[in-house]
Amino acid sequence: MTDSFFQPPPAADLPRFAGVPTFMRLPHVPPGHPRFADVDVGLIGVPWDSGTTNRPGARHGPRQLRDASTMMRAQNGATGIRPFEALNCADLGDVPPNPVDLHDSMARITAFYAEALKTDIMPLTAGGDHLSALPILRAVAEKRPVGLIQFDSHTDLTDSYFGGQKYTHGTPFRRAIEEGLIDPRRMVQIGIRGTMYDTEDRDFAAANGIRLIPVEEFHARGPFDVMREAREIVGTAPTYITYDIDFVDPAYAPGTGTPEVGGPSSHQALEVVRALSGLNIVGADMVEVSPPFDASGGTALLGATILFELLCVMAAGQA
């Protein structure tokens, strides 16, 4: 049983719509807090979307995900896992971004995560656009490259945009491989689909040994067979999980910057996360929730539920 300090308040004592919102109603334990070193998993907001090339708004994602996450209860109904009893979990707050300087923001993100990693806190991130993953990986993979399981409708392996811009939400994993943060032979991208400018990103994937699973293959094989292969690819070595909400069909998750039709259902969106249980996960993120395009709040609720499922597989890995 974990420290009672890290338990969310019972809903019978504090209604879910009341109180200052934190991720899953967990205590707010920012860097410098006296209990910071006691945290096992830290939920971190990255309210930043300066890498966005289409519809903006993911900078507002962490705040909306916090609100939606108040619906998460103590036990996973499908797996029985009770993450708040297995691990000391806390909301570490938001990285303070610089909205007018992309590189300064990335440096701030890396520094925030490096501070958490000093005390062996496992980071679970709510973004923010997908470029956020690059500065996070600079901290998480500082000592050795990691494997990567990416749920996404886009590869994010493009070399550049707009006359040579190397840092957008369409380039983070190309940069991460170039920087030696990811072992491309232990990398798998699941759900890729949509129209393309050309095949440059897929050619890069093939040349570097990245396993790319298009959504057509995902639907033909089913989530369990696809995840069996993904587990084999990353093996038992340290692995980072990155989850773009546009992996899910926009019928279920319309509130995102670059939606692509033909994707998985909300149920399949949860199934693939549950299939991660037992892997050597060193961090995870849920990105690209854009509240301005999420009129019903359903995208944020799905994103918060995915965060809870990620937390549950992290807890299972520490059992």
Side-chain angles (χ1 to χ4, degrees):
M1 187 71 177
T2 55
D3 190 322
S4 60
F5 173 81
F6 293 99
Q7 297 298 308
D13 295 340
L14 181 68
R16 297 181 184 280
F17 54 80
V20 176
T22 60
F23 288 117
M24 305 178 200
R25 303 192 310 143
L26 291 164
H28 180 212
V29 183
H33 190 284
R35 300 302 305 273
F36 188 75
D38 298 325
V39 176
D40 296 317
V41 174
L43 288 100
I44 302 169
V46 181
W48 181 64
D49 61 5
S50 294
T52 300
T53 60
N54 191 37
R55 304 191 304 184
R59 67 181 62 186
H60 302 291
R63 183 169 294 185
Q64 190 81 348
L65 286 163
R66 280 189 175 91
D67 272 340
S69 74
T70 63
M71 289 305 298
M72 300 305 109
R73 301 176 178 88
Q75 182 167 322
N76 188 309
T79 65
I81 294 172
R82 299 176 66 87
F84 310 128
E85 294 179 7
L87 299 166
N88 287 341
C89 306
D91 186 332
L92 306 189
D94 285 346
V95 177
N98 181 341
V100 297
D101 189 323
L102 183 149
H103 290 284
D104 182 52
S105 286
M106 289 198 290
R108 291 169 180 235
I109 294 166
T110 300
F112 193 103
Y113 282 76
E115 187 66 23
L117 292 167
K118 284 180 184 177
T119 56
D120 296 322
I121 295 174
M122 192 184 311
L124 177 55
T125 301
D129 73 45
H130 220 158
L131 182 57
S132 305
L134 176 60
I136 294 169
L137 284 166
R138 286 173 176 168
V140 171
E142 180 187 17
K143 297 179 181 178
R144 74 292 183 242
V146 297
L148 186 82
I149 297 178
Q150 178 183 348
F151 301 105
D152 209 325
S153 63
H154 311 102
T155 66
D156 297 345
L157 292 171
T158 301
D159 183 46
S160 64
Y161 282 69
F162 307 113
Q165 173 53 253
K166 296 283 190 177
Y167 298 94
T168 78
H169 67 169
T171 69
F173 302 113
R174 181 107 165 215
R175 301 287 89 81
I177 290 168
E178 292 170 349
E179 293 180 23
L181 307 175
I182 297 170
D183 178 355
R185 297 163 300 176
R186 296 183 53 242
M187 178 175 176
V188 55
Q189 301 181 312
I190 302 169
I192 307 303
R193 62 188 185 275
T195 57
M196 303 184 297
Y197 298 113
D198 51 39
T199 63
E200 183 219 12
D201 57 336
R202 297 192 183 208
D203 294 342
F204 179 86
N208 286 274
I210 298 166
R211 175 67 167 110
L212 191 155
I213 300 177
V215 79
E216 293 80 11
E217 182 179 347
F218 176 88
H219 287 312
R221 293 173 58 188
F224 295 107
D225 190 46
V226 165
M227 292 309 298
R228 175 195 55 76
E229 182 186 357
R231 295 173 64 89
E232 290 175 355
I233 289 169
V234 298
T236 59
T239 298
Y240 188 83
I241 310 300
T242 188
Y243 200 126
D244 189 324
I245 197 68
D246 72 26
F247 168 74
V248 189
D249 191 274
Y252 304 93
T256 191
T258 312
E260 301 285 358
V261 300
S265 69
S266 58
H267 180 64
Q268 291 170 321
L270 305 182
E271 285 184 312
V272 295
V273 178
R274 292 169 188 160
L276 299 169
S277 185
L279 293 179
N280 184 0
I281 297 173
V282 293
D285 65 52
M286 151 55 54
V287 298
E288 296 285 0
V289 171
S290 182
F293 301 98
D294 188 28
S296 70
T299 308
L301 178 59
L302 177 57
T305 306
I306 291 166
L307 283 169
F308 181 76
E309 293 285 350
L310 287 166
L311 181 60
C312 287
V313 297
M314 289 176 168
Q318 300 299 311

